[in-house]
Amino acid sequence: MTTPISHPFYLDCDTGIDDALALAYLLASPQADVRGIGTVSGNVSAAVGARNTLDLLQLAGHAHIPVALGAHDPQAGTFHGGAPHVHGANGIGDVSLEAADAELVPGTAAEMLVRLAHEHPGQLRILAVGPLTNIAQALRLDPELPRLVQDITIMGGAAFAPGNITPVAEANIANDPEAAADVLAADWDVTLVPLDVTMSNVLEESHRQELLAAGHPVPQALGDMLGYYFRFYESQFGRACSAMHDPLAAALAVGGVSAAVAPVVRVDVDTTDGPGRGQTICDLRGRYMDYPEQPGARCRVVLELEGDFAPHLVEVLQSLSGPEGTTAAWSVGAAVA
Ligand code: BDR
Ligand code: CA
């Protein structure tokens, strides 16, 4: 059996239940070597997201991975307060994790990203599963960033699918459209994982039960968190299950799953103040007609997946192993300040 090649990864997140799943997926993947994590306000504030990230890393036995605090406010305006109805008051389904001993590293998330890109020229891979404020900031800090990183995978946007914040806008893009416009206009190898594919690959209660039964505290804690997430999605799917936004982007980034339909097109972000604000305008006219490639067509938009994602996700999370003594406790219902 050949050992998969491991790539250095920078994760940018707003941890978040599905962000927690994406982080766990990366930690369990031999193809990913997570070198740094930055947090941004979205599901929760950047500070609460950082706390959740540190606590999850400790639970997983990876407390050595540096976490940097990112932007609290979007490029224009101020942080709106998060999505407690989706992710719980503490962002992780009101599951209380043991507080991590590790502290945040000095410097901002954007500075961390730029430093990592210089330390791994041509190799660093970015997975962004929150609003794109930190990534846009990093582009301003170092306009050479697109040349330095290998690629960037973004969970965000909606191509043919409706939005989940407005009729046309998805949360990560809606939370900072100006940043998203800058990031999608940059000249790098970018993959967008929009609602079209994340809403059509769901995790069912049977999968959650498999996580709860796993012999490792991380999948067990994730199973607990998913109880909260499932209650939110019940109103949309009519049964206990959930969409799989961020872990699906993680799996596509590391190559654990493959896209079946993923045209490379031009994507613009609506930054006006009208009803289209935050929409990802994907030029998919080639679906209906012989359409010549557009200038600026550089974004791979994942529309359909090969195979069934949920069993793959469960299998990868069940394979998590940490150093001896990874037994930190957690409890449901105790709010974390
Ligand atoms: C995205 O928004 C956040 O709530 C989720 O964590 C995910 O990244 C889905 O629209
Ligand atoms: Ca997220």
Side-chain angles (χ1 to χ4, degrees):
M1 206 173 75
T2 52
T3 316
I5 298 170
S6 179
H7 294 271
F9 264 84
Y10 166 82
L11 171 66
D12 201 89
C13 51
D14 56 336
T15 320
I17 296 171
D18 60 328
D19 303 75
L21 285 155
L23 169 59
Y25 184 97
L26 286 189
L27 296 177
S29 301
Q31 305 96 317
D33 175 11
V34 183
R35 292 302 178 98
I37 302 176
T39 63
V40 62
S41 296
N43 296 321
V44 286
S45 69
V48 172
R51 202 65 264 154
N52 290 342
T53 305
L54 288 167
D55 295 350
L56 280 159
L57 286 172
Q58 177 158 306
L59 187 67
H62 289 273
H64 60 282
I65 295 177
V67 180
L69 184 64
H72 179 73
D73 290 321
Q75 230 164 276
T78 50
F79 173 51
H80 58 70
H85 58 298
V86 186
H87 295 269
N90 70 354
I92 48 173
D94 294 340
V95 169
S96 175
L97 301 177
E98 188 173 86
D101 300 323
E103 300 286 342
L104 291 168
V105 295
T108 65
E111 287 165 354
M112 173 193 265
L113 169 53
V114 169
R115 184 176 49 73
L116 287 172
H118 281 269
E119 281 173 13
H120 306 279
Q123 288 172 13
L124 187 72
R125 309 188 67 190
I126 302 174
L127 174 63
V129 294
L132 294 166
T133 322
N134 294 333
I135 313 295
Q137 235 176 53
L139 283 170
R140 286 195 297 279
L141 280 179
D142 188 349
E144 288 297 299
L145 191 64
R147 198 182 50 78
L148 287 168
V149 307
Q150 183 171 321
D151 57 19
I152 174 168
T153 301
I154 297 166
M155 190 282 129
F160 295 113
N164 60 1
I165 291 291
T166 74
V168 295
E170 178 279 332
N172 288 340
I173 308 297
N175 280 327
D176 196 339
E178 281 75 13
D182 291 349
V183 171
L184 289 171
D187 187 11
W188 48 12
D189 180 344
V190 55
T191 296
L192 194 66
V193 183
L195 293 176
D196 302 66
V197 69
T198 66
M199 286 296 284
S200 52
N201 284 276
V202 296
L203 201 76
E204 303 286 350
E205 178 60 20
S206 57
H207 301 121
R208 190 176 85 85
Q209 290 302 328
E210 286 184 68
L211 293 177
L212 288 170
H216 189 280
V218 171
Q220 290 170 0
L222 293 170
D224 272 344
M225 292 175 204
L226 282 165
Y228 197 103
Y229 210 44
F230 276 27
R231 281 193 288 283
F232 168 73
Y233 276 105
E234 198 157 353
S235 62
Q236 302 181 29
F237 290 105
R239 63 181 193 281
C241 67
S242 75
M244 285 288 92
H245 309 294
D246 296 350
L248 180 50
L252 283 159
V254 305
V257 292
S258 306
V261 180
V264 176
V265 298
R266 181 185 172 111
V267 179
D268 287 296
V269 179
D270 187 328
T271 55
T272 67
D273 284 329
R277 183 168 170 78
Q279 181 175 16
T280 43
I281 302 162
C282 306
D283 192 344
L284 292 163
R285 284 175 284 182
R287 189 183 198 186
Y288 304 117
M289 59 183 106
D290 204 7
Y291 191 67
E293 194 180 279
Q294 321 99 54
R298 66 170 75 90
C299 184
R300 181 171 168 258
V301 181
V302 181
L303 297 173
E304 283 175 33
L305 213 61
E306 299 265 14
D308 196 358
F309 177 56
H312 168 76
L313 175 63
V314 171
E315 193 185 329
V316 170
L317 295 178
Q318 283 172 332
S319 77
L320 260 171
S321 62
E324 294 280 316
T326 305
T327 55
W330 71 96
S331 61
V332 184
V336 171

